[in-house]
């Protein structure tokens, strides 16, 4: 009888220990979980920005025929519109639905004649979405960039 009373006391004490251990471990697990979600969103947006630059370059390397029969490349403004539309349709952000010139810094170089390389690059400032207050206070967001180079056809 004496040993059964001791074992009941030990079990009762251990129940409180499990609750304290859970309270200590839970915040760490929550930060890890939301950190994985946050960086998944970051890498997804990086991939979409890369695809947007690729779409802009792909559209820019093809000459179009004008009324005179000459072949003209797309202008930088037309390529910028393609990059912004693709980014606005596919990137995940909790702000406005469409991205503007202030959201993405765009650059296009080269690509004036057949065989010339056309470079389309873009930089997007990523503000953290899931843990904005915590991570922004540490590093203040990240600039993610992408670049695509294709030869004019």
């Amino acid at each position: 009888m004496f040993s059964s009373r001791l074992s009941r006391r030990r079990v009762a004490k251990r129940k409180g220990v499990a609750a304290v251990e859970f309270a200590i471990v839970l915040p760490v697990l929550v930060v890890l979980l939301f950190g994985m979600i946050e960086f998944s969103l970051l890498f997804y947006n990086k991939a979409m920005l890369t695809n947007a630059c690729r779409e802009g370059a792909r559209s820019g390397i093809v000459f179009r025929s004008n009324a005179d029969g000459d072949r003209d490349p797309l202008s930088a403004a037309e390529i910028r519109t393609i990059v912004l539309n693709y980014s606005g349709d596919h990137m995940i952000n909790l702000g406005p639905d469409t991205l503007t010139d202030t959201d993405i810094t765009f650059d296009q170089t080269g690509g004036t004649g057949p065989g010339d390389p056309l470079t389309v690059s873009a930089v997007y400032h990523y503000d953290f979405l899931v843990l904005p207050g915590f991570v922004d206070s540490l590093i203040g967001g990240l600039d993610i960039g992408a670049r695509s180079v294709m030869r004019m056809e």
Side-chain angles (χ1 to χ4, degrees), residues 50-127:
T50 301
N51 288 346
C53 288
R54 190 176 302 127
E55 285 295 315
R58 190 177 65 81
S59 298
I61 63 170
V62 179
F63 289 97
R64 42 182 189 173
S65 297
N66 61 16
D68 299 336
D70 295 334
R71 299 181 322 159
D72 294 329
L74 289 178
S75 68
E78 292 170 319
I79 294 173
R80 175 184 290 117
T81 302
I82 291 168
V83 171
L84 287 174
N85 287 341
Y86 189 93
S87 299
D89 291 343
H90 294 91
M91 290 178 73
I92 297 174
N93 60 349
L94 297 180
D97 291 339
T98 58
L99 298 174
T100 63
D101 286 336
T102 58
D103 295 324
I104 293 181
T105 305
F106 171 81
D107 185 31
Q108 177 220 336
T109 57
T112 56
D116 290 345
L118 172 70
T119 303
V120 176
S121 59
V123 176
Y124 174 69
H125 182 75
Y126 179 80
D127 291 318

Side-chain angles (χ1 to χ4, degrees):
M1 180 165 170
F2 181 69
S3 67
S4 65
R5 211 179 316 156
L6 280 177
S7 63
R8 280 190 223 142
R9 286 182 189 167
R10 286 183 185 158
V11 170
K13 287 181 181 179
R14 289 193 181 263
K15 288 182 182 177
V17 170
V20 170
E21 288 174 354
F22 181 72
I24 292 171
V25 172
L26 182 66
V28 174
L29 291 176
V30 169
V31 167
L32 285 175
L33 175 69
F34 285 115
M36 287 187 279
I37 293 169
E38 187 72 62
F39 281 98
S40 298
L41 290 172
L42 173 76
F43 290 129
Y44 175 82
N45 280 345
K46 166 75 172 150
M48 291 304 105
L49 189 63
T50 301
N51 288 346
C53 288
R54 190 176 302 127
E55 285 295 315
R58 190 177 65 81
S59 298
I61 63 170
V62 179
F63 289 97
R64 42 182 189 173
S65 297
N66 61 16
D68 299 336
D70 295 334
R71 299 181 322 159
D72 294 329
L74 289 178
S75 68
E78 292 170 319
I79 294 173
R80 175 184 290 117
T81 302
I82 291 168
V83 171
L84 287 174
N85 287 341
Y86 189 93
S87 299
D89 291 343
H90 294 91
M91 290 178 73
I92 297 174
N93 60 349
L94 297 180
D97 291 339
T98 58
L99 298 174
T100 63
D101 286 336
T102 58
D103 295 324
I104 293 181
T105 305
F106 171 81
D107 185 31
Q108 177 220 336
T109 57
T112 56
D116 290 345
L118 172 70
T119 303
V120 176
S121 59
V123 176
Y124 174 69
H125 182 75
Y126 179 80
D127 291 318
F128 290 90
L129 305 173
V130 179
L131 301 171
F134 177 70
V135 179
D136 280 343
S137 65
L138 294 176
I139 59 176
L142 294 173
D143 287 336
I144 55 175
R147 189 180 100 165
S148 182
V149 180
M150 295 187 183
R151 294 219 177 264
M152 299 292 288
E153 294 182 355

